[in-house]
Amino acid sequence: MSVIQQLQQQLRRGEVSSVALVERYLENIRQREPQVQGYLTVTAAAALAQAQALDARRAQGEDLGWLMGIPIALKDNLCTQGIPTTCASRILAGYQPPYHATVAERLMQAGAVLLGKTNLDEFAMGSSTEHSAYQITTNPWDTSRVPGGSSGGSAAVVAAQECVAALGSDTGGSIRLPASFCGVVGIKPTYGRVSRFGLVAYASSLDQIGPLTATVADAAIMLQAIAGHDPKDSTSIAAPVPDYLQALASLPPTRPLAGFTLGVIQETLGEGLDPEVGQAFDQAVRHLEQLGAHIIPISCPTFAKGLAAYYILAPAEASANLARYDGVRYGLRVPASDLVRMYAKTRGEGFGREVKRRIMLGTYTLSQGYYDAYYLQAQKVRTLIRRDFDQAFTQVQALLSPTAPVPAFPIGSKENDPLSMYLTDLMTIPVNLAGLPALSVPCGFTRQGLPIGLQVIGNVLQETVILQIAQAYEQSTIWHQHTPPLVADGDG
Ligand code: GLN
């Protein structure tokens, strides 16, 4: 049983109340936050009030399903009505949205209890959460290392058991990378599967919201609650949402993956791959074979071009999306003698270094004379990548790769080398360019005890397939049973 299922059983039997459950997690927050620093805002009072109301409703016989009373956290680029939403940027300091993101709305309607908002790289631009304007989140497995990014706060607080489940956003790997670095499950759904309404836009054609959880079944429960069409997001897909838990339950107990053909992406196994990550990945592939899967090598020749195309397209979209922070409508305003100076000063002081780098890159590649050479060219590469995947999916149901070429790196080690930071997303980025669903599931540890993640990529709207593969793998391995030293040292 997953963590959510276990807790829900206790809640239903009356072994624990929603209030007691929230208090337990608030206590974990009190004990571990001084080291983890994963939350930007903790909404303790509101959470307790919400839990109290839920206990009363339960006493009346109401049952809202798996999430009723389950403590969760949201990445701080998801709008929450009346609760600060900063995107970890100074420019949004003090900003309180007048509405909830659709995902927040849906989770709360399902009875989930919001414990707080989690840290990220400013505007989700980064791979380590070091680009937050407010604090450095640490990796609960080794607090001298990064949790990955940009949803590093969400991954870290799930790993440290400071909430049961969290949401992140993934534009180029920001759910899967921190999931792999922190030893949790993270899924980026198909572009359009989950409404982006109320997600502060970074690169709108790539952004997608998804869950970070302790187990695959927990991810299935969270995805179930947030997936589906939303009239407020014109890019959300109007297709029925399958029953994900049912799909997991339908796997046969022996050789659950018989009948699945899986492809190993050859282009992800070359230069730059940490040998321990490579070994863990090879073992995971052999394990999947033992579970009945037929494994074949697959070549995606344009895969390696994804990173270059992404760093044209994402900054281009970002430069347009971030134009709205001008000191007039949201957050920070730095007064000046005239309007143009006010814009310049507000943006100059409000944005951090990485955000400015992206805005400048994007503005440059979109400018007249460079548009064809950069932006248009990158769009063509994007199409080629999509074709490579289309071709692959004529032969396999899902593709496999390590989630990241390396395990979590020391805080500060890539600070002055943006390119080496960008390289950590090599394996996750092509998936966003093609709009496909993919997840990261724990597949081992390095000798130093750092988690390693296996990436499973599916075809459009095939979340069920990748969840099934991950479930079969997880349930026949022990990786998800390990807890970080920080939890083991505490009362966990
Ligand atoms: N690390 C990538 C970037 O900096 C991806 C971030 C993301 O997925 N939000 O853009």
Side-chain angles (χ1 to χ4, degrees):
M1 250 195 301
S2 77
V3 179
I4 294 175
Q5 288 171 314
Q6 270 170 30
L7 293 173
Q8 195 55 250
Q9 205 168 62
Q10 292 172 15
L11 286 162
R12 281 179 182 152
R13 290 184 184 146
E15 291 163 10
V16 68
S17 66
S18 300
V19 169
L21 194 59
V22 165
E23 272 167 354
R24 188 193 300 169
Y25 280 88
L26 288 174
E27 183 53 31
N28 288 353
I29 291 176
R30 266 189 293 276
Q31 283 182 17
R32 295 165 194 166
E33 262 311 90
Q35 288 176 79
V36 177
Q37 304 261 314
Y39 280 101
L40 288 173
T41 306
V42 175
T43 50
L48 285 168
Q50 206 187 334
Q52 231 160 26
L54 287 167
D55 281 334
R57 287 169 71 178
R58 205 184 284 275
Q60 301 293 316
E62 234 184 295
D63 189 334
L64 297 173
W66 288 121
L67 288 173
M68 184 173 184
I70 300 297
I72 57 140
L74 297 174
K75 187 177 182 178
D76 207 26
N77 60 352
L78 293 165
C79 286
T80 40
Q81 187 179 354
I83 299 166
T85 300
T86 66
C87 295
S89 179
R90 248 189 291 279
I91 211 155
L92 281 175
Y95 172 63
Q96 298 194 6
Y99 62 93
H100 277 320
T102 296
V103 291
E105 190 89 55
R106 289 191 179 173
L107 286 174
M108 289 190 209
Q109 262 163 20
V113 179
L114 179 66
L115 291 187
K117 306 291 295 290
T118 57
N119 198 21
L120 62 150
D121 287 295
E122 187 176 356
F123 285 103
M125 297 174 188
S127 308
S128 67
T129 314
E130 291 167 291
H131 297 316
S132 165
Y134 298 112
Q135 65 202 34
I136 301 267
T137 297
T138 65
N139 190 315
W141 294 90
D142 175 349
T143 51
S144 72
R145 290 174 188 264
V146 302
S150 64
S151 313
S154 287
V157 298
V158 170
Q161 294 175 16
E162 295 178 43
C163 68
V164 177
L167 291 186
S169 65
D170 190 312
T171 306
S174 278
I175 290 173
R176 292 160 285 158
L177 181 71
S180 111
F181 280 14
C182 292
V184 299
V185 175
I187 172 162
K188 179 203 96 72
T190 306
Y191 184 77
R193 178 79 287 187
V194 174
S195 167
R196 290 180 296 113
F197 179 77
L199 164 68
V200 177
Y202 161 18
S204 313
S205 77
L206 302 159
D207 299 340
Q208 187 61 194
I209 302 166
L212 291 119
T213 56
T215 70
V216 175
D218 291 315
I221 293 171
M222 289 288 282
L223 184 61
Q224 195 79 49
I226 59 172
H229 181 245
D230 175 13
K232 291 180 186 146
D233 172 5
S234 60
T235 64
S236 75
I237 300 172
V241 180
D243 186 333
Y244 296 120
L245 268 187
Q246 178 54 39
L248 299 187
S250 71
L251 283 169
T254 52
R255 289 177 62 82
L257 298 182
F260 283 84
T261 303
L262 310 179
V264 173
I265 305 176
Q266 299 303 296
E267 285 74 9
T268 61
L269 302 178
E271 206 190 329
L273 185 66
D274 178 279
E276 287 190 84
V277 173
Q279 261 168 28
F281 175 72
D282 288 345
Q283 264 168 26
V285 172
R286 277 201 296 276
H287 188 86
L288 290 167
E289 207 162 18
Q290 280 159 15
L291 294 174
H294 177 54
I295 309 279
I296 61 169
I298 283 283
S299 176
C300 292
T302 55
F303 203 92
K305 306 275 191 300
L307 195 69
Y310 175 89
Y311 277 99
I312 300 295
L313 297 172
E317 293 186 31
S319 72
N321 276 327
L322 271 57
R324 71 190 68 168
Y325 305 104
D326 54 9
V328 176
R329 285 165 293 183
Y330 318 91
L332 180 78
R333 175 182 303 167
V334 182
S337 52
D338 62 55
L339 187 66
V340 174
R341 280 202 187 93
M342 188 280 285
Y343 289 156
K345 280 193 133 176
T346 299
R347 289 170 67 83
E349 288 179 29
F351 289 135
R353 219 159 53 132
E354 185 62 26
V355 174
K356 286 180 188 161
R357 182 182 291 128
R358 305 285 176 106
I359 293 175
M360 285 190 283
L361 270 172
T363 308
Y364 177 81
T365 58
L366 286 178
S367 55
Q368 208 186 8
Y370 296 104
Y371 181 85
D372 286 2
Y374 293 108
Y375 187 78
L376 215 59
Q377 204 63 19
Q379 288 290 20
K380 288 180 186 163
V381 172
R382 185 174 188 173
T383 304
L384 293 177
I385 289 173
R386 178 64 191 258
R387 279 192 202 149
D388 264 6
F389 278 119
D390 285 347
Q391 177 61 33
F393 285 117
T394 61
Q395 300 172 66
V396 300
Q397 276 98 344
L399 291 162
L400 306 170
S401 79
T403 305
V406 291
F409 45 86
I411 291 167
S413 63
K414 294 185 195 285
E415 211 168 7
N416 295 314
D417 187 356
L419 188 60
S420 95
M421 182 83 86
Y422 296 172
L423 281 168
T424 51
D425 297 322
L426 203 62
M427 298 162 178
T428 48
I429 273 176
V431 175
N432 299 72
L433 290 170
L436 301 172
L439 59 75
S440 179
V441 60
C443 74
F445 292 89
T446 65
R447 274 188 292 279
Q448 282 186 56
L450 301 171
I452 300 170
L454 165 71
Q455 179 173 236
V456 187
I457 307 168
N459 206 348
V460 175
L461 290 179
Q462 298 300 303
E463 281 80 6
T464 312
V465 171
I466 58 173
L467 285 167
Q468 283 178 327
I469 294 163
Q471 168 82 355
Y473 178 79
E474 176 193 87
Q475 290 304 306
S476 56
T477 53
I478 49 154
W479 313 122
H480 64 290
Q481 291 161 7
H482 292 240
T483 47
L486 196 83
V487 171
D489 289 350
D491 64 348

